[in-house]
Amino acid sequence: MRRRTVVINAVLALALVGTAAGGWLAIGTPSAATAATSQTTTVTRGSVTSTVTASGNSASANTRDVAFAGSGTIREIFVKAGAHVASGAKLARLDDTDAKASLRTARASLASAQAQLSTANAGQTSAERARGAAQLSAAQVSVDNANTQLTAANQSYALDKTQQDAMVAAANTSALAQAKRTHESTLLKDSQAITSAQGQLATARTQLASQRASNAVDAQPAKPGTVAAAQAQVDSAQVQVDSAQTALDKTLLLAPISGTVAAVNGTVGGSSGGSSSSSGASSTSTSSSSNSSSSSSSSFITMTDLSRLQVTAAVAEADAVKVKLGQAATVTFSAAGLSVTGKVTAIDVEQTVTNNVVTYGVTITLTNPPSSLRIGQTASVVITADTKDNVLRTASNAVTTRGTQSTVTVRRNGKDQVVTVKTGLAGDGGTEITSGVAEGDTLVVPATSGSPGGFTFPGGGIGGGIGGGVGR
């Protein structure tokens, strides 16, 4: 009986070993099984790009709240909401009846003051007479000096002529030609000096005559105090004219920029309300918020430049460090079905905290925005933080990084080998490889979870099979 049991167990053991061997041959070696089920990717050459995504709304880079500098009754409104106007165009006008009357009165006062000044200036002060006498004396001196120079020039000519004539007469045949040339050049020079002296004398005499005539005209008695008082009246009247002209100018509201009228907050016959500034404020690209000096409630007309649109997006704290001024961006307006290019023109220096989430405002100025875009439209922003062209790259999930070391699993001739690599730019789904692999290498993508660690026998392994067969 015992011999029979041993034989039975031996037969069962051989059967189990045969079954296991058949399973091993059918499935293959552990490395072959892994190779058959693992994912792979290839090292290629191309571009790696890192982007930052965010969302925001469109706004104008230049918006102005315009209001009258003073209060008054609105007489005319020249524009409507939606109208496009050029810089300096008329927007609205207040009742200017009183302002025009004040200007006319100020101008009449100025004309009267100027007439009084002219009367006061009819006489000449002692200082003016002394100045005139000094100028006349100087003119006479100029004439005398010119006469002296002319006399000297004539004398020089006469002396040189006598000397040169004698030298020509005494010259022998070989020196005669040279003596004649010297004679001619010397007398020519003296003649030119005489002509110049004659011209200077004529000019001096003309100036003397002019000064005498001027002194004769100016030699009229006048009191300095009267002239000064008259001049003060003229100055005061001019100030009144300037003030009245400014008041009249303020009744006309002009466009400070070229743009589109976004809103008109007033009606003809109503009050302008008044404001401290006629140009209001403008929103600039240096901040995500408008630097307005007056609120919309105090503005009479709001203007915006639709040709200079921008999007201010809220960028996550972790991505904000990647964003730099001048980076290219693609802005998509899903509702409008439009995609527009732009560039980063401003980055907030202070964070914005919403529900304990820190973000930074980044302003993207659009390049040639379509005319169909409107203020406030929702936009998705993709900023190109960095890009590298013509580099070795692979799928980012094929790279395993622990600490400062990165590795990949290279498959060559059916065998897998872990290789240390150096990485460069980590892009969106792709990573630059600077060393360790070559173009065309096949890399094994590591399994994330649930992957088999090796071959497993059916039924739980040899121990289970044997235990089940030897139970009795």
Side-chain angles (χ1 to χ4, degrees):
M1 184 67 179
R2 182 176 182 181
R3 178 180 179 84
R4 181 182 177 184
T5 301
V6 172
V7 172
I8 292 174
N9 283 340
V11 172
L12 289 174
L14 290 174
L16 182 58
V17 170
T19 301
W24 180 278
L25 293 175
I27 296 176
T29 63
S31 60
T34 302
T37 59
S38 61
Q39 295 181 353
T40 61
T41 186
T42 305
V43 177
T44 60
R45 184 171 293 277
S47 299
V48 177
T49 301
S50 174
T51 62
V52 173
T53 59
S55 61
N57 297 91
S58 59
S60 174
N62 192 10
T63 297
R64 297 288 185 93
D65 290 328
V66 192
F68 286 102
S71 60
T73 302
I74 301 171
R75 192 178 76 179
E76 293 177 281
I77 299 177
F78 302 107
V79 296
K80 296 181 179 180
H84 181 78
V85 297
S87 176
K90 296 178 181 179
L91 299 179
R93 186 195 303 276
L94 298 178
D95 186 351
D96 57 4
T97 303
D98 292 341
K100 287 181 176 179
S102 297
L103 181 58
R104 287 194 296 269
T105 300
R107 286 175 173 170
S109 298
L110 176 61
S112 176
Q114 289 172 336
Q116 293 177 2
L117 178 61
S118 297
T119 300
N121 278 327
Q124 188 182 39
T125 66
S126 59
E128 291 173 337
R129 287 193 296 272
R131 183 170 62 251
Q135 291 172 344
L136 182 62
S137 177
Q140 183 62 58
V141 170
S142 296
V143 170
D144 295 339
N145 291 339
N147 271 319
T148 300
Q149 291 177 357
L150 179 58
T151 300
N154 286 325
Q155 292 174 349
S156 178
Y157 179 87
L159 178 61
D160 287 344
K161 186 175 186 306
T162 300
Q163 293 176 346
Q164 292 299 321
D165 288 343
M167 292 178 67
V168 169
N172 54 31
T173 302
S174 61
L176 180 60
Q178 178 62 40
K180 287 182 178 180
R181 286 195 294 271
T182 302
H183 178 278
E184 182 180 354
S185 63
T186 300
L187 294 186
L188 176 61
K189 177 181 178 182
D190 290 343
S191 297
Q192 291 174 342
I194 292 172
T195 301
S196 176
Q198 290 172 340
Q200 292 177 358
L201 178 59
T203 301
R205 285 173 176 173
T206 300
Q207 292 176 345
L208 178 60
S210 176
Q211 187 61 49
R212 284 173 177 169
S214 177
N215 285 359
V217 173
D218 294 338
Q220 300 294 330
K223 296 180 180 180
T226 303
V227 174
Q231 183 62 59
Q233 291 295 324
V234 171
D235 294 342
S236 177
Q238 184 63 59
V239 170
Q240 295 300 318
V241 169
D242 293 343
S243 177
Q245 183 64 59
T246 300
L248 179 60
D249 293 342
K250 289 181 178 180
T251 63
L252 182 62
L253 189 62
L254 302 178
I257 61 172
S258 296
T260 301
V261 177
V264 178
N265 303 312
T267 57
V268 174
S271 175
S272 66
S275 174
S276 61
S277 171
S278 62
S279 61
S282 65
S283 62
T284 65
S285 61
T286 58
S287 173
S288 61
S289 61
S290 173
N291 296 322
S292 295
S293 61
S294 59
S295 64
S296 59
S297 61
S298 65
S299 68
F300 177 68
I301 290 178
T302 300
M303 293 190 61
T304 187
D305 187 356
L306 295 180
S307 67
R308 297 176 56 192
L309 293 182
Q310 62 186 23
V311 171
T312 300
V315 176
E317 180 180 12
D319 291 332
V321 295
K322 304 177 185 177
V323 181
K324 301 292 186 295
L325 293 177
Q327 289 176 339
T330 300
V331 183
T332 302
F333 298 90
S334 299
L338 295 173
S339 183
V340 186
T341 60
K343 67 177 182 178
V344 177
T345 54
I347 304 171
D348 283 0
V349 296
E350 293 186 358
Q351 81 282 7
T352 299
V353 182
T354 304
N355 296 328
N356 295 324
V357 176
V358 175
T359 59
Y360 287 84
V362 174
T363 300
I364 298 93
T365 298
L366 305 184
T367 304
N368 299 323
S371 58
S372 57
L373 283 182
R374 292 293 179 264
I375 302 297
Q377 286 188 291
T378 302
S380 298
V381 177
V382 178
I383 301 170
T384 302
D386 196 2
T387 185
K388 288 187 177 181
D389 298 321
N390 195 31
V391 296
L392 291 180
R393 61 184 182 179
T394 189
S396 296
N397 59 355
V399 181
T400 300
T401 301
R402 291 184 177 87
T404 59
Q405 186 179 38
S406 297
T407 60
V408 296
T409 301
V410 181
R411 176 167 295 169
R412 294 189 181 99
N413 300 322
K415 295 182 179 181
D416 295 346
Q417 179 183 4
V418 177
V419 177
T420 300
V421 295
K422 290 184 179 180
T423 60
L425 176 63
D428 303 333
T431 297
E432 176 192 7
I433 305 296
T434 60
S435 66
V437 294
E439 183 178 359
D441 281 351
T442 299
L443 306 184
V444 178
V445 178
T448 55
S449 63
S451 298
F455 175 77
T456 303
F457 281 94
I462 296 178
I466 296 177
V470 187
R472 295 180 185 268

